[in-house]
Amino acid sequence: MVAASPISIRSEKISPIDLPMVDLTGERSMVKKLIVKACEEYGFFNVINHGVPRDTIAKMEEAAFDFFAKPMAQKKQVALYGCKNIGFNGDMGEVEYLLLSATPPSVAHLKNISNVPSNFSSSVSAYTEGVRELACEILELMAEGLGVPDTWFFSRLIREVDSDSVLRFNHYPPIILNKDCFKDNHNHTKVIGFGEHSDPQILTILRSNDVPGLQISLQDGVWNPVAPDPSAFCVNVGDLLQVMTNGRFLSVRHRAMTNSHKSRMSVAYFGGPPLDACIVAPPVMVTSKRPSLLFKPFTWAEYKKVTYSMKLGERRIDFFRKCTTQQQIE
């Protein structure tokens, strides 16, 4: 199991919430205000009228389900496939997954990999292009809403040809009931599919089928289930964006649950910068409320190295916080 919280999963408080919903076809000044407010208060929000064609989404999901339906022996022959072992340091979960580089050349290379469905490469390529553009649009709305003079300050990092963005398909099969299962407040049997963590990159664009599973934690010991919305993408702030907004936006910890009734598939686009990109907040993020930078500048390569050296649930962002004299004394 991957949960890092010291609180027993059976004693956790479960409190469902409705995430803010943002219609991207709304009046621009209102849209960017809603996005900024959601990032400050929740770190998560949903977007509708996002511009990614339904057909593009449907073809991607069909191709992915076709792959996960293959016999295990065939799936294990694909180097991009993983099962149970989530990270690099012994993290485990009730999940199988595909982890792909989301750059156009890497996606195009999928057609040369055996045991991957023939329609997978073209479907994933179209989907990746769509969600990358959506991520850039949202990041530019964020910059405008924050008053950053260069509205491409955030989005430029994932537009770069050498960006380190990735696409991850997580498939959570129905579980076999066992002693590790617990009942949530609605008497549904649950186990952790993917444990507590924050996303290290800039921004995540998440799509899931119509099966519940995502939970976020806005308060220690309290988990907030988020109902899936087939018409929306779920967007969340990553660690790097929290740093680049000088702590104004929140990279909120979350996890995925599975159950004994239906399989769940989520597809996450993680917008990442080039490895040598320097991560630092622009000067406009230093204000009277935050009179100095809260984090030391670092490169994405440095942060990624720390991420891979730690367990999934550890708070890696804290290693890059600036220490005040008082903090050093304590």
Side-chain angles (χ1 to χ4, degrees):
M1 224 176 262
V2 226
S5 172
I7 300 173
S8 168
I9 192 170
R10 296 179 185 274
S11 63
E12 292 169 345
K13 181 179 179 182
I14 306 295
S15 180
I17 60 169
D18 293 322
L19 292 180
M21 181 69 74
V22 179
D23 183 344
L24 292 181
T25 60
E27 202 278 319
R28 192 172 182 87
S29 63
M30 181 57 67
V31 169
K32 60 190 181 186
K33 287 179 182 178
L34 291 172
I35 289 176
V36 168
K37 182 177 174 63
C39 292
E40 291 175 332
E41 296 182 358
Y42 295 87
F44 277 77
F45 59 95
N46 287 322
V47 294
I48 56 173
N49 294 322
H50 41 68
V52 183
R54 291 183 182 180
D55 186 55
T56 297
I57 297 171
K59 287 180 178 178
M60 175 277 298
E61 290 181 335
E62 181 182 6
F65 272 120
D66 285 348
F67 173 80
F68 287 119
K70 288 180 175 293
M72 181 61 72
Q74 290 186 31
K75 291 184 287 190
K76 285 186 174 180
Q77 293 176 22
V78 177
L80 306 171
Y81 175 80
C83 183
K84 303 285 189 179
N85 294 295
I86 293 174
F88 296 85
N89 297 290
D91 294 310
M92 302 286 289
E94 297 298 322
V95 62
E96 59 176 346
Y97 61 89
L98 281 172
L99 184 61
L100 320 174
S101 171
T103 61
S106 298
V107 173
H109 179 65
L110 288 174
K111 64 178 179 291
N112 300 321
I113 300 176
S114 60
N115 294 308
V116 171
S118 58
N119 62 333
F120 195 80
S121 177
S122 59
S123 300
V124 171
S125 179
Y127 179 81
T128 302
E129 182 179 349
V131 292
R132 182 175 59 245
E133 285 306 308
L134 174 60
C136 289
E137 179 184 1
I138 291 170
L139 288 169
E140 286 155 20
L141 283 162
M142 289 176 175
E144 287 183 31
L146 291 168
V148 179
D150 177 5
T151 57
W152 278 37
F153 185 86
F154 305 131
S155 66
R156 182 179 292 110
L157 293 171
I158 62 175
R159 289 188 186 277
E160 298 284 355
V161 293
D162 57 346
S163 78
D164 193 33
S165 299
V166 296
L167 193 70
R168 182 174 180 125
F169 296 78
N170 285 334
H171 180 241
Y172 305 92
I175 62 163
I176 299 174
L177 300 183
N178 58 51
K179 62 183 177 62
D180 294 323
C181 298
F182 79 102
K183 301 280 187 178
D184 66 15
N185 291 3
H186 301 280
N187 204 38
H188 295 148
T189 303
K190 298 281 187 175
V191 297
I192 294 178
F194 201 108
E196 176 181 351
H197 65 286
S198 62
D199 294 341
Q201 294 90 349
I202 299 171
L203 191 76
T204 303
I205 306 290
L206 178 70
R207 166 77 185 180
S208 64
N209 63 331
D210 195 16
V211 177
L214 175 64
Q215 296 183 350
I216 71 174
S217 181
L218 298 174
Q219 178 184 347
D220 286 344
V222 179
W223 285 97
N224 310 112
V226 175
D229 185 337
S231 68
F233 279 104
C234 185
V235 182
N236 68 275
V237 173
D239 293 349
L240 298 190
L241 191 55
Q242 178 170 333
V243 172
M244 290 191 290
T245 59
N246 204 26
R248 187 167 167 181
F249 285 3
L250 301 176
S251 179
V252 170
R253 300 171 76 75
H254 52 284
R255 67 186 185 185
M257 309 303 289
T258 186
N259 58 62
S260 59
H261 305 293
K262 295 181 180 180
S263 64
R264 175 176 181 264
M265 186 177 72
S266 65
V267 185
Y269 171 82
F270 300 101
L275 290 172
D276 61 356
C278 183
I279 307 303
V280 64
V284 72
M285 290 292 96
V286 178
T287 65
S288 58
K289 290 186 178 180
R290 295 175 175 80
S292 62
L293 291 177
L294 300 179
F295 301 91
K296 298 174 287 188
F298 54 85
T299 65
W300 169 231
E302 291 171 330
Y303 197 76
K304 192 173 182 180
K305 182 178 180 180
V306 169
T307 296
Y308 285 176
S309 70
M310 301 172 70
K311 291 185 73 65
L312 183 68
E314 295 185 78
R315 298 180 184 272
R316 53 211 161 216
I317 197 171
D318 291 340
F319 283 82
F320 295 88
R321 290 185 184 274
K322 286 188 174 181
C323 293
T324 64
T325 302
Q326 184 63 31
Q327 288 173 325
Q328 290 172 344
I329 292 173
E330 294 173 352

